[in-house]
Amino acid sequence: MIIYQLPSRERQLALTFDDGPNPVYTPLILDLFKKHQAYATFFVIGSYAKQYPELLRRILEEGHEIGNHTYNHPALPKCERQEVYEELEATNGIIEEITGTKPSLFRPPYGEFNRHTVEAADRLGLHTVIWPDHQNTKDWSLPGADIIVERVLETLQTGDIILFHDGSGDNAGEDRSQTVQAIEMLLPHLVGNNYKLVTVSQMMRSYNEAMILQV
């Protein structure tokens, strides 16, 4: 299964963060979500998760969801089939070892995937989660917090899966302060406009229920 968006009757959004956990920016983002009683999904890199286990435990303890974002952040379509599987399997193992919980979601680095990628995810019981084209904030390009917020709000739809980054697949020390600033502006606006900010799996359950109701 490849998921881009999960429209339903409920006013819900799933904010997602790739490339962490990061010891500087992930805690700041978690603090903001805790303040607004909102929830997100963090697609973590296995090598960073292994390095910062306390952050992984905090993410889960505060009600957020952890997804698999590979171990080394490679461009998966360029990898051999077995290498793809090992990237996902290793990260699954690290997440489960640290948190006691096995992930059910996977996001390929750069949003790039092929048949081998999806097959590996399916074998490991992982749903592949991307994002709709209109909700790629491109926060990694450091366009400014105001621009990041504008990109989210100008095309916002119920059921959107929105892409942010709390770390970097290529450089763990990369500046994500603009993303933190954008989240600080977005959360009160979204919550104030009666959006429920939930994890991807929570939104999947609502989507399934909505589909059942429509049948």
Side-chain angles (χ1 to χ4, degrees), residues 57-97:
R57 287 190 284 267
R58 181 182 170 187
I59 289 168
L60 204 62
E61 287 167 0
E62 296 187 1
H64 307 288
E65 183 169 23
I66 296 171
N68 186 324
H69 198 46
T70 72
Y71 187 83
N72 290 306
H73 202 267
L76 292 177
K78 297 179 181 178
C79 298
E80 296 295 326
R81 178 185 300 186
Q82 185 60 27
E83 185 182 355
V84 173
Y85 184 83
E86 289 172 356
E87 282 278 339
L88 274 60
E89 183 183 39
T91 302
N92 264 14
I94 289 167
I95 294 170
E96 186 170 13
E97 181 180 355

Side-chain angles (χ1 to χ4, degrees), residues 23-154:
V24 176
Y25 302 110
T26 305
L28 295 175
I29 290 168
L30 289 171
D31 288 345
L32 290 169
F33 274 83
K34 188 172 185 179
K35 177 181 177 181
H36 293 283
Q37 297 182 318
Y39 303 95
T41 301
F42 292 81
F43 289 94
V44 302
I45 295 175
S47 59
Y48 297 164
K50 190 174 183 179
Q51 192 173 354
Y52 305 110
E54 71 285 352
L55 284 178
L56 224 62
R57 287 190 284 267
R58 181 182 170 187
I59 289 168
L60 204 62
E61 287 167 0
E62 296 187 1
H64 307 288
E65 183 169 23
I66 296 171
N68 186 324
H69 198 46
T70 72
Y71 187 83
N72 290 306
H73 202 267
L76 292 177
K78 297 179 181 178
C79 298
E80 296 295 326
R81 178 185 300 186
Q82 185 60 27
E83 185 182 355
V84 173
Y85 184 83
E86 289 172 356
E87 282 278 339
L88 274 60
E89 183 183 39
T91 302
N92 264 14
I94 289 167
I95 294 170
E96 186 170 13
E97 181 180 355
I98 293 170
T99 68
T101 302
K102 185 180 295 186
S104 62
L105 304 179
F106 157 67
R107 173 171 284 162
Y110 317 106
E112 297 177 356
F113 60 91
N114 59 10
R115 181 168 55 86
H116 295 330
T117 307
V118 177
E119 286 176 353
D122 287 346
R123 283 174 63 193
L124 290 164
L126 296 166
H127 298 300
T128 301
V129 180
I130 312 295
W131 57 86
D133 288 341
H134 64 272
Q135 284 299 354
N136 183 351
T137 64
K138 297 183 181 178
D139 59 336
W140 52 267
S141 67
L142 305 179
D146 290 338
I147 298 297
I148 295 170
V149 171
E150 181 181 336
R151 286 173 177 169
V152 172
L153 297 180
E154 66 183 357

Side-chain angles (χ1 to χ4, degrees), residues 93 145 150-151 163 187 199:
E150 181 181 336
R151 286 173 177 169
L163 174 65
L187 290 186
T199 67

